[in-house]
């Protein structure tokens, strides 16, 4: 008699969405993310990351974008695969492997997100106890974001097409949670060759208007090498 085959793991997708929003007390920008309240067991009533099951006929990246839009109304331009979480006991009663994506959105786009009783924004560094292993997932996403910020143009996802170096520095300070010396920051950014000075200046300032910059569009914010050309669902 043939040995009974073990049950297969189920696949799901989840997304961590970061946005910079002004802190109510300090008015300084800080990282926030939307969470969805679970309406069924397990963990009914607890907050969790947006996500859902992976259909057999849908690409990973498309499934992440779809579930994100269905729950929050967001359609971020930056959506990258973060990691796969598959601890045996991460979901009660069944084996579930979650392919997690992360998204970065600008403040004005975050303001258009669908919020209500079951969808709310939370400060990324001060979360309640989440369902499943989602606290661990957010911690990992924060670590990756703060690490990538040092060597990539990932900050572009938080800014408009043009920006001042002061605005770019504010993004870095908000993500890294520490002040940066303006002169050193300027030298570091200019040496990185990731930004290009434009002939435009920021209007409406009381003093000498600062120059506007843009990111070098030939540099992808997520350099994936051959994977970026070969697969529609990007992996980090």
């Amino acid at each position: 008699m043939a040995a009974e085959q073990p049950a297969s793991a189920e696949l799901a997708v989840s997304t961590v969405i970061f946005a910079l929003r002004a802190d109510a007390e300090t008015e300084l920008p800080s990282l926030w993310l939307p969470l969805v309240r679970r309406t069924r067991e397990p963990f009914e009533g607890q907050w969790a990351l947006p996500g859902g099951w992976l259909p057999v006929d849908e690409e990973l990246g498309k499934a992440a974008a779809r579930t994100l839009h269905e729950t929050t109304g967001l359609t971020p331009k930056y959506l990258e695969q973060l990691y796969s979480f598959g601890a045996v006991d991460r979901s009660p009663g069944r084996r579930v492997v979650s392919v997690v994506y992360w998204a970065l959105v600008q403040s004005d786009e975050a303001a258009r997100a669908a919020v209500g009783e079951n969808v709310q924004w939370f400060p990324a560094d001060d979360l309640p106890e989440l369902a499943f292993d989602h606290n661990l997932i957010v911690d990992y996403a924060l670590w990756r974001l703060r690490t990538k910020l040092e060597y990539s143009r990932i900050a572009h996802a938080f800014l408009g097409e043009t920006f001042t170096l002061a605005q770019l520095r504010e993004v870095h300070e908000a993500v890294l949670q520490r002040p940066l010396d303006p002169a050193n920051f300027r030298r570091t950014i200019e040496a990185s060759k990731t930004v290009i000075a434009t002939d435009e200046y920021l209007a409406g300032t009381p003093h000498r208007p600062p120059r506007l910059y843009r990111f070098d569009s030939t540099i992808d914010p997520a350099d994936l090498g051959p994977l970026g050309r070969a697969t529609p669902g990007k992996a980090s």
Side-chain angles (χ1 to χ4, degrees):
M1 182 177 180
E4 183 178 350
Q5 294 294 319
S8 299
E10 298 179 80
L11 287 175
V13 291
S14 298
T15 306
V16 184
I17 315 119
F18 290 126
L20 290 179
R21 308 181 75 186
D23 185 275
E25 296 182 0
T26 66
E27 296 186 355
L28 295 174
S30 59
L31 286 170
W32 289 64
L33 75 163
L35 298 173
V36 179
R37 193 193 308 272
R38 287 188 58 80
T39 57
R40 61 182 180 275
E41 296 293 346
F43 302 107
E44 182 177 0
Q46 283 189 244
W47 295 99
L49 294 169
W53 298 111
L54 176 67
V56 297
D57 59 348
E58 191 173 23
E59 297 287 350
L60 279 167
K62 291 181 179 179
R66 174 184 54 78
T67 56
L68 177 59
H69 187 265
E70 288 174 351
T71 53
T72 67
L74 293 171
T75 54
K77 297 178 182 178
Y78 185 93
L79 184 65
E80 182 187 351
Q81 194 177 124
L82 174 69
Y83 197 73
S84 294
F85 291 80
V88 173
D89 59 351
R90 65 183 301 270
S91 181
R94 57 171 63 173
R95 179 73 190 278
V96 179
V97 175
S98 286
V99 180
V100 179
Y101 281 73
W102 63 338
L104 308 177
V105 297
Q106 296 178 22
S107 299
D108 57 347
E109 182 178 1
R112 296 194 295 270
V115 296
E117 181 180 356
N118 293 324
V119 179
Q120 292 184 22
W121 287 83
F122 291 81
D125 287 288
D126 187 22
L127 297 177
E129 183 176 350
L130 306 182
F132 306 105
D133 55 356
H134 289 188
N135 286 93
L136 173 63
I137 292 175
V138 174
D139 286 345
Y140 181 74
L142 283 168
W143 175 79
R144 284 294 305 277
L145 174 61
R146 286 164 177 157
T147 302
K148 286 177 74 77
L149 194 71
E150 298 286 2
Y151 63 85
S152 75
R153 51 162 287 206
I154 198 172
H156 183 203
F158 291 123
L159 296 165
E161 289 302 313
T162 58
F163 47 85
T164 67
L165 290 184
Q167 290 170 335
L168 180 60
R169 189 183 77 252
E170 287 177 357
V171 169
H172 281 247
E173 290 177 334
V175 173
L176 298 175
Q177 293 188 308
R178 57 183 172 86
L180 300 173
D181 179 76
N184 287 339
F185 180 80
R186 173 183 287 273
R187 284 193 293 268
T188 300
I189 291 299
E190 290 178 344
S192 72
K193 306 296 184 182
T194 57
V195 300
I196 299 173
T198 72
D199 294 327
E200 302 175 24
Y201 293 83
L202 183 66
T205 57
H207 306 292
R208 180 182 177 183
R211 183 186 292 273
L212 292 173
Y213 290 75
R214 63 176 176 84
F215 278 103
D216 185 349
S217 59
T218 64
I219 304 175
D220 196 294
D223 185 4
L224 307 177
L227 288 179
R229 299 187 299 271
T231 57
K234 292 183 176 181
S236 62

